[in-house]
Amino acid sequence: MSTAGFPEGFVWGVSTSAFQIEGATSVDGRGPSIWDGFSADRAEACDHYHRYPEDVRLMKDLGMAAYRFSVSWPRVFPEGRGKPNPAGLDFYDRLVDELLGAGIAPYATLYHWDLPQALENVGGWPERDTARHFADYALALHERLGDRVGTWFTLNEPWVAAFLGYGAGIHAPGRTSASDAFKSAHHMLLAHGLAAGALRAAGARRVGAVLNISPVLTPAQVGDFTRELSEEDARVVSTIDALVNRQFLEPMLRGAYPAELLPVIERHAGLEHVHDGDLDVISQPLDLLGVNYYTPLVVQAQPSEPADPAFPGSEGVLFCTVPTAVTAMGWPIVPDGLSLLLRRLSREYPGLDLMVTENGADFVDVVNGNGIHDTDRISFIEEHLRALRAAIADGARVRGYLVWTLLDNLEWADGYQRKFGLVHVDFATQRRRLKDSALWYRDVIRRNGLSDARPKRPTLETVAARAGVSRATVSRVVNGESSVSQEVRTAVMRAVGELGYVPNAAARSLVTQRTNSIALVLSVPRQSGDALTAAVVQYVTSLLEGAGKQITLMLADTAESHRRIVAHVEARLADGVVLLPPDRADTLAERLSRTGVPLVLLGKPAIASMLPYVDVDHAGGAVAVTEHLLARGRRRIGMICGPMDLVAVQDRLAGHRTALQRAGLGPHLALADDLSRAAGAAATRRLLGDDPSLDAVFAATDQLAIGALQAAREAGRRVPEDLSIAGFDDIDAASATTPGLTTVRVPVADQALALARLLLSRLEGRHTASVVLPARLVVRESA
Ligand code: FCB
């Protein structure tokens, strides 16, 4: 076996889930699930319920050996328990027969997050009975399909279902209770144990569970897994690993919760819900562990950091962004993370069979008449397969690999905008089209491995070979020379289209009237905006390059540079422009918008206009801080405003005023000349001089707030005892001050991602509204 080949019998396939593809949520007696109304998008999805024969045919044509689908519990038990719905069972019966007829092994997942609403109404997963109902449901299904389905997975990613659904509230059912999250996790584990036992007793051939397992790394380890950790970092890595990975692995495979997790569970949820004997039930022997891997979790110690609601007990853990390439989800691409975790599982649980049950990526697919040339998805999967192959060579017992996912689908709370499919779905017509990645995967399956040569982006040579002409001819055609016959021209352009060949910008502009390049214009960065600017450059570049664009970075710091940039865009040397930030009262945004080239802004422009922008809810954030100060009993609150020509500052002031007004109070304001610490300190001195009984200061940015801390200390005021201080922006330094600063966190990476998406929509000619993202209050000691 070469290093690119896989062991004989290695299983290739894809995974899907019921709610994300089936649609047909109210036909043939299906009951409602917790997801039906939770996701804002319509639940029609891919209409797989009616189109499954076509989807099975696609898989057959691609050569899949296995298909992991999930069964919709409320389709089988509309009330979650009681009498099964015969029509629901019939559907899965037909699907399984169709698969077997196509030579594809059906792998059934029993729970992929779509709890029957009827069970949520009587308490959902925090209730122990839900586990029992699950086991009954598992058995009913096995009774009907057990003669033909050989592989059964009980749960998919219980961490996500429990902690995002019941803890952070970003998944259905949208509860925000750490206690409910821990209880749900335990009852899911119990459900797994009861169902696994029942299935095995009923004769099921192979029973497993699917976990989302993420390596937990520090930023430095992302580039070098062997990096030694400081004691503090080792502690936070272990905390998160216990919550996400070992909370599920250890009970299932060793019959015990990790010792370090028990006090955390007890603190949030008590331990009464963990009954004697539960862990014996949970630790049924497992035939197969399904591993879903997308990206690592990256953390480091940051003492004053508050807990993230998805990770109760994570006080002191900072979740970090890292400078790597990302998918359109913003998830760092770290293929070796997969081999790291497979090696770890094989080492820690020897003898356990593993399967990669999900791995794949969301990218912005460019669809044109010639197909969908998703080279980024191909490289993503290929790099992960190389990592997987390396783990096998080291002895990891990995039996198969299933791509997430077959079809572009309904990606939970994110809706239809995410594209994880090997197959493109046009949701207006339900037409399916194979992406290049599907054809590439078909070849991997045929070969039972990768080709030794890494696939390259198509070159002039490959186009020439495909069209049967010389390189020079291709060059002449893409450069628009008229000396080439119509016939040859057509052949070359067909090859260009089929291969997804992207000539260099200048050549391409002649062919397509497009430059395929985007100008990323940086005007003088805000003093506190460095992290944001860096993230925008990183994410926007990574995403737009992923969509086949080239980025030209341009600095707009002088009148001359403004002129040059406008001339560049007027000459159509860019297809689109990203401008950040536009908030000084200059006219660059307006001049650029007059060129007619799509323009998007980071930050709301000073002059009201129709230009689409991405911003955060500055006013909402300021309301949250002010209400927090009021709730702490503060009444004489001073605010330090930065320069008032900054739109963000105006909005923060407006939010502050609104909250004060609601409390029947008026503002005390001091203006800072700029956003420096010195200006913050000077403004604080003025505020305290004007009103010595002041009991709180809200600074419009963090640098100003750090200045306020200095001035308060000099004035002998104790923070927070006699003076609360809060800032805005949550720069790194905010958590390192003494005391740590209460601030408002703006989602840096999300802004950058939204910006890239907005521009791509504009380039496709779609109408797009501006995006305003929520800002989150981070409470530390200073207020
Ligand atoms: C996994 C889920 C799957 C899909 C992918 C992107 O966590 O199991 O349904 O959402 O992520």
Side-chain angles (χ1 to χ4, degrees), residues 36-57:
D36 293 10
F38 190 83
S39 131
D41 280 290
R42 64 204 192 298
E44 182 190 335
C46 310
D47 194 32
H48 170 79
Y49 185 76
H50 296 111
R51 293 168 196 268
Y52 71 92
E54 179 184 353
D55 295 335
V56 172
R57 192 162 354 100

Side-chain angles (χ1 to χ4, degrees), residues 607-628:
I607 306 151
S609 75
M610 297 294 286
L611 293 174
Y613 61 85
V614 172
D615 209 340
V616 290
D617 184 4
H618 300 288
V623 168
V625 179
T626 311
E627 286 181 343
H628 171 76

Side-chain angles (χ1 to χ4, degrees), residues 15-17 20 68 112-113 156-157 160 164 171 210 212 292-294 329 331 357-362 404-405 409-412 418 420:
S15 283
T16 65
S17 91
Q20 294 181 271
R68 171 179 168 251
H112 201 126
W113 308 350
N156 176 74
E157 302 192 356
V160 174
L164 301 188
H171 274 199
V210 173
N212 53 295
N292 294 353
Y293 173 71
Y294 292 91
M329 291 291 260
W331 293 347
T357 36
E358 288 183 25
N359 175 239
D362 169 33
W404 183 268
T405 182
N409 63 26
L410 176 48
E411 176 55 31
W412 308 110
R418 304 297 183 196
F420 276 90

Side-chain angles (χ1 to χ4, degrees), residues 263-499:
V264 182
I265 302 179
E266 184 163 26
R267 178 150 55 89
H268 289 94
L271 285 173
E272 292 77 54
H273 61 284
V274 182
H275 295 191
D276 281 352
D278 281 2
L279 284 149
D280 294 335
V281 174
I282 294 168
S283 54
Q284 297 291 322
L286 271 197
D287 301 310
L288 185 63
L289 178 70
V291 175
N292 294 353
Y293 173 71
Y294 292 91
T295 192
L297 280 160
V298 186
V299 298
Q300 74 189 33
Q302 188 82 270
S304 55
E305 198 64 16
D308 182 312
F311 303 83
S314 66
E315 290 84 1
V317 182
L318 180 69
F319 289 86
C320 309
T321 30
V322 282
T324 55
V326 292
T327 67
M329 291 291 260
W331 293 347
I333 302 174
V334 186
D336 288 339
L338 180 59
S339 35
L340 184 71
L341 83 85
L342 293 171
R343 286 191 188 106
R344 167 188 172 181
L345 291 169
S346 300
R347 191 175 60 241
E348 293 182 5
Y349 308 97
L352 179 65
D353 272 2
L354 304 172
M355 181 171 289
V356 176
T357 36
E358 288 183 25
N359 175 239
D362 169 33
F363 284 111
V364 181
D365 291 328
V366 183
V367 182
N368 63 35
N370 301 312
I372 302 125
H373 306 305
D374 55 339
T375 33
D376 285 295
R377 187 168 294 99
I378 295 177
S379 352
F380 180 97
I381 299 176
E382 148 144 50
E383 286 169 30
H384 283 78
L385 285 176
R386 287 195 193 279
L388 166 54
R389 180 64 189 72
I392 294 177
D394 285 348
R397 299 162 55 113
V398 189
R399 305 305 183 206
Y401 175 87
L402 311 178
V403 172
W404 183 268
T405 182
L406 179 67
L407 305 168
D408 285 343
N409 63 26
L410 176 48
E411 176 55 31
W412 308 110
D414 279 357
Y416 294 99
Q417 53 166 332
R418 304 297 183 196
K419 308 290 178 195
F420 276 90
L422 296 175
V423 177
H424 175 266
V425 177
D426 177 339
F427 290 101
T429 60
Q430 290 294 352
R431 179 176 171 214
R432 273 79 161 138
R433 286 167 76 190
L434 299 183
K435 301 180 192 175
D436 285 358
S437 56
L439 299 170
W440 172 87
Y441 192 46
R442 179 195 59 195
D443 294 341
V444 170
I445 297 173
R446 274 193 196 148
R447 231 189 265 125
N448 193 34
L450 301 164
S451 80
D452 279 314
R454 286 172 184 265
K456 293 201 193 76
R457 288 191 186 257
T459 59
L460 213 57
E461 285 74 15
T462 34
V463 175
R466 171 77 63 108
V469 300
S470 71
R471 287 181 57 215
T473 306
V474 175
S475 166
R476 280 209 292 279
V477 172
V478 296
N479 283 298
E481 271 183 35
S482 55
S483 59
V484 184
S485 77
Q486 188 55 43
E487 198 184 325
V488 171
R489 182 182 301 282
T490 311
V492 170
M493 289 316 289
R494 194 184 312 118
V496 165
E498 285 168 2
L499 293 166

Side-chain angles (χ1 to χ4, degrees), residues 638-644 649-650 652-653 656-657 668-675 679 683 686-687 698-701 704:
M639 176 171 176
I640 306 173
C641 302
M644 290 306 296
V649 172
Q650 294 165 17
R652 291 172 189 187
L653 173 59
H656 178 62
R657 277 184 199 279
H668 305 268
L669 304 179
L671 284 184
D673 298 338
D674 54 40
L675 297 177
R686 286 203 301 279
L687 279 172
F698 167 38
T701 73
L704 292 173

